[in-house]
Amino acid sequence: MTTEHKNRIVLPGSERSARSGSRVVGAPDPNEQIRISVLVRARKTMQNLASAKELTATSPHQRKYMSREQFAADYGANPDDIGKIEAFAHQHNLTVVEASSPRRTVVLSGTIAALSAAFSVYLANYEHPDGAFRGRTGPIYIPADLAGIVQGVFGFDNRPQARPHFRKHKAPKQPKQTAQPTSYTPLQVAQLYNFPSGVDGTGECIGILEFGGGYNANDLNTYFQQLGISTPSVTAMSVDGVTNQPAPGQNSPDTEVMLDIEVAGAVAPGASIVVYFSNFTEQGWVDAITTAVHDSVHKPSVLSISWGFAEGQQIWSTQAITAVNEAFQAAAAMGVTVCCAAGDDGSRDQVDDGLAHCDFPASSAFVLACGGTSLQSSGTSITSETVWNDGVNGGATGGGISDTIDLPTWQANAHVPPSVNPGGRIGRGVPDVAGDADPETGFQILADGQSGTVGGTSAVAPLWAGLVARINQKLGTAAGFLNPLLYALASNANALHDITTGSNDITGQIGGYSAGPGWDPCTGLGSPNGTALATALAGASAAGTP
């Protein structure tokens, strides 16, 4: 062991590998000030929640959710542990910016030189086609007396860690022969999916996570006025100093932000909407999710996440996956439903290594993963719904078998097939549900003053979030972690529209996955029949726990 690492141990799960296609171009300024987030262990092991009533009760009405205050008291960080992190920081001339027991997070600031020495890491500047970043390889080291206390350290490496899952409609060179291009307002889609009437999400709060761009209040007012409904309450929350910053331009992330707000706000206009803006880095992810889940002021009952990245150590470290999964598990314990887009690049998930990949965080066992369909209608009736797949020059719904998340108990009877990758692993199957995502049958939105039609699974996550808000209002309680309930309802033919036609292989080489009766790795259990689903959930039987 070198002198640099003397009396230090490797922080488990902190190892990072070089990102394929990147190259070192120099060293960062040692005097540059940065912030890192240190994740501290919980007072009680999170595994205690695996059989808790909030996850296993037979219906939402029988579940006993924890308040955010109760959860913080039972599962937040111990003040003594936080004190040890603060003492460590002072020993290394670092500043404690924030310490949150509910989020189990201590934010430290200092120079790159001081922070690198404190955690025994070497940083370099990299170039990559996706953009330049500051990165590290190998593990992070911590003092032996902090073993078990420190669960993760985020912020040294700021490689891009998120991409939005939306697709703008473009006139194809060769139009599909099976469907005529059309577009819908969110209200029309909600009608086609038979969302429950007499409720609009009043009393609920929908949290939306964004990792770039922003929204324009004037555009929102114009959009909702055109739909003939009042503009919902929209609040911007800054995470890690990131604010609502609209940035118009080709493929601007503003399109993602506006799509999320407009879809969720249109189908649940009575709900308040809180938008959490953060950096598209590993640190940004962990801080945004923990901030939203533990927001004791706005108390979101539903979260919508339309960003993600393929599983794999080049992007997601083990410590980040663990931190994000634990935050989602906390959400389940507190009755918060988390809806995540499954991706827009078919079974390869924009990774050109000849293998199939799932998108994270959609592959988390504690979220409702949302896949995509192509939706055709006549009047107020669905005439056809198939797997969304525009081919190699377009996009397709994400979905497949997770390489990192094990098969949850509640999916045990879903007949999840082996992965098409070598070894045939049977892990967490993605997605769980689906909805309209084909840009040719997409959503009419307004972004940066321009009207357009947008699809992608980015539209499906806020659509389901809005549906859950309406269901919560109708039930008079939070539906919470839906997955065990939905898989138990799989035999209820009325609650979900089973999608049986199509594939998410866009290259013709990976193999991908095909739709079929029952659950499949393209559209999950299917698209919603909202009213029937709400009725069924009122008396649902749980399928089990993760």
Side-chain angles (χ1 to χ4, degrees):
M1 178 176 290
T2 65
T3 303
E4 180 183 16
H5 297 158
K6 188 177 181 181
N7 299 322
R8 298 295 183 95
I9 61 171
V10 170
L11 175 61
S14 65
E15 294 82 0
R16 299 217 73 168
S17 59
R19 187 177 179 190
S20 177
S22 64
R23 67 185 186 92
V24 176
V25 293
D29 180 357
N31 296 314
E32 179 184 352
Q33 291 278 334
I34 63 172
R35 293 185 178 186
I36 64 167
S37 300
V38 180
L39 186 68
V40 184
R41 67 184 174 188
R43 291 174 186 261
K44 298 180 182 178
T45 174
M46 298 291 286
Q47 291 179 348
N48 292 344
L49 286 174
S51 59
K53 291 182 179 179
E54 55 270 11
L55 299 185
T56 62
T58 56
S59 80
H61 286 108
Q62 294 174 313
R63 290 179 166 182
K64 296 185 181 300
Y65 299 121
M66 302 178 74
S67 67
R68 284 173 168 82
E69 293 74 19
Q70 181 185 359
F71 188 91
D74 288 353
Y75 293 97
N78 190 309
D80 290 341
D81 287 346
I82 290 178
K84 292 177 181 179
I85 303 299
E86 292 175 333
F88 165 77
H90 295 148
Q91 291 171 4
H92 291 84
N93 298 315
L94 306 176
T95 300
V96 177
V97 177
E98 177 189 355
S100 171
S101 176
R103 292 180 53 224
R104 297 164 41 209
T105 299
V106 180
V107 180
L108 306 178
S109 71
T111 65
I112 283 181
L115 281 164
S116 297
F119 291 94
S120 300
V121 301
Y122 171 77
L123 299 178
N125 289 332
Y126 291 82
E127 282 187 353
H128 188 274
D130 287 348
F133 64 93
R134 181 184 67 242
R136 66 175 180 85
T137 57
I140 288 173
Y141 292 85
I142 58 173
D145 60 357
L146 293 182
I149 295 176
V150 175
Q151 302 291 294
V153 177
F154 310 100
F156 282 115
D157 193 308
N158 65 2
R159 70 184 73 182
Q161 195 105 355
R163 54 174 176 251
H165 292 316
F166 72 88
R167 291 294 177 102
K168 291 183 178 180
H169 175 258
K170 298 178 181 178
K173 295 180 180 179
Q174 293 182 338
K176 291 182 181 179
Q177 300 300 312
T178 57
Q180 293 299 315
T182 187
S183 64
Y184 303 101
T185 69
L187 299 180
Q188 291 171 323
V189 174
Q191 186 177 37
L192 290 170
Y193 285 145
N194 193 26
F195 278 25
S197 60
V199 287
D200 62 2
T202 294
E204 303 299 314
C205 176
I206 300 173
I208 299 175
L209 272 62
E210 304 291 357
F211 299 91
Y215 64 85
N216 182 291
N218 290 333
D219 279 353
L220 291 179
N221 290 332
T222 298
Y223 181 79
F224 289 108
Q225 183 179 24
Q226 290 173 346
L227 291 180
I229 58 179
S230 299
T231 303
S233 169
V234 182
T235 302
M237 290 288 291
S238 173
V239 179
D240 294 343
V242 181
T243 59
N244 174 30
Q245 295 181 321
Q250 183 70 20
N251 294 322
S252 167
D254 294 356
T255 301
E256 177 62 69
V257 179
M258 297 297 281
L259 173 69
D260 292 341
I261 297 173
E262 289 170 356
V263 170
V267 301
S272 60
I273 295 176
V274 180
V275 188
Y276 301 86
F277 289 97
S278 189
N279 288 306
F280 58 108
T281 63
E282 190 173 70
Q283 180 184 30
W285 270 100
V286 174
D287 288 349
I289 292 171
T290 56
T291 296
V293 168
H294 297 286
D295 185 346
S296 59
V297 175
H298 302 98
K299 299 180 179 180
S301 54
V302 192
L303 295 180
S304 176
I305 304 175
S306 293
W307 302 66
F309 229 125
E311 294 177 335
Q313 195 183 53
Q314 288 188 16
I315 299 298
W316 297 98
S317 66
T318 302
Q319 63 174 359
I321 290 176
T322 300
V324 169
N325 277 328
E326 287 186 350
F328 290 148
Q329 190 175 9
M334 293 183 285
V336 180
T337 307
V338 183
C339 305
C340 290
D344 295 349
D345 296 281
S347 56
R348 73 182 181 95
D349 204 28
Q350 215 172 56
V351 179
D352 294 319
D353 61 359
L355 300 175
H357 296 273
C358 280
D359 209 75
F360 188 80
S363 63
S364 169
F366 293 96
V367 307
L368 185 71
C370 301
T373 69
S374 180
L375 182 68
Q376 295 291 318
S377 66
S378 176
T380 59
S381 300
I382 297 173
T383 57
S384 171
E385 192 166 18
T386 59
V387 175
W388 166 46
N389 189 337
D390 289 333
V392 69
N393 293 319
T397 182
I401 311 303
S402 172
D403 289 329
T404 61
I405 308 297
D406 291 335
L407 182 74
T409 303
W410 41 261
Q411 255 187 346
N413 296 321
H415 306 292
V416 175
S419 169
V420 296
N421 292 333
R425 167 184 161 85
I426 300 180
R428 154 73 157 130
V430 178
D432 300 300
V433 293
D436 182 29
D438 187 341
E440 290 192 32
T441 66
F443 291 77
Q444 300 165 13
I445 72 160
L446 178 66
D448 296 327
Q450 301 294 317
S451 297
T453 300
V454 178
T457 55
S458 277
V460 188
L463 180 73
W464 269 89
L467 172 59
V468 172
R470 286 167 74 156
I471 289 176
N472 285 352
Q473 181 188 0
K474 190 170 184 67
L475 293 177
T477 188
F481 182 45
L482 279 176
N483 298 29
L485 305 177
L486 290 179
Y487 280 83
L489 292 173
S491 60
N492 186 329
N494 293 323
L496 294 154
H497 304 130
D498 192 9
I499 313 302
T500 60
T501 303
S503 163
N504 67 356
D505 180 8
I506 63 176
T507 66
Q509 299 173 348
I510 293 175
Y513 302 91
S514 296
W519 182 90
D520 60 66
C522 296
T523 56
L525 297 170
S527 60
N529 179 343
T531 298
L533 179 58
T535 300
L537 284 173
S541 295
T545 61

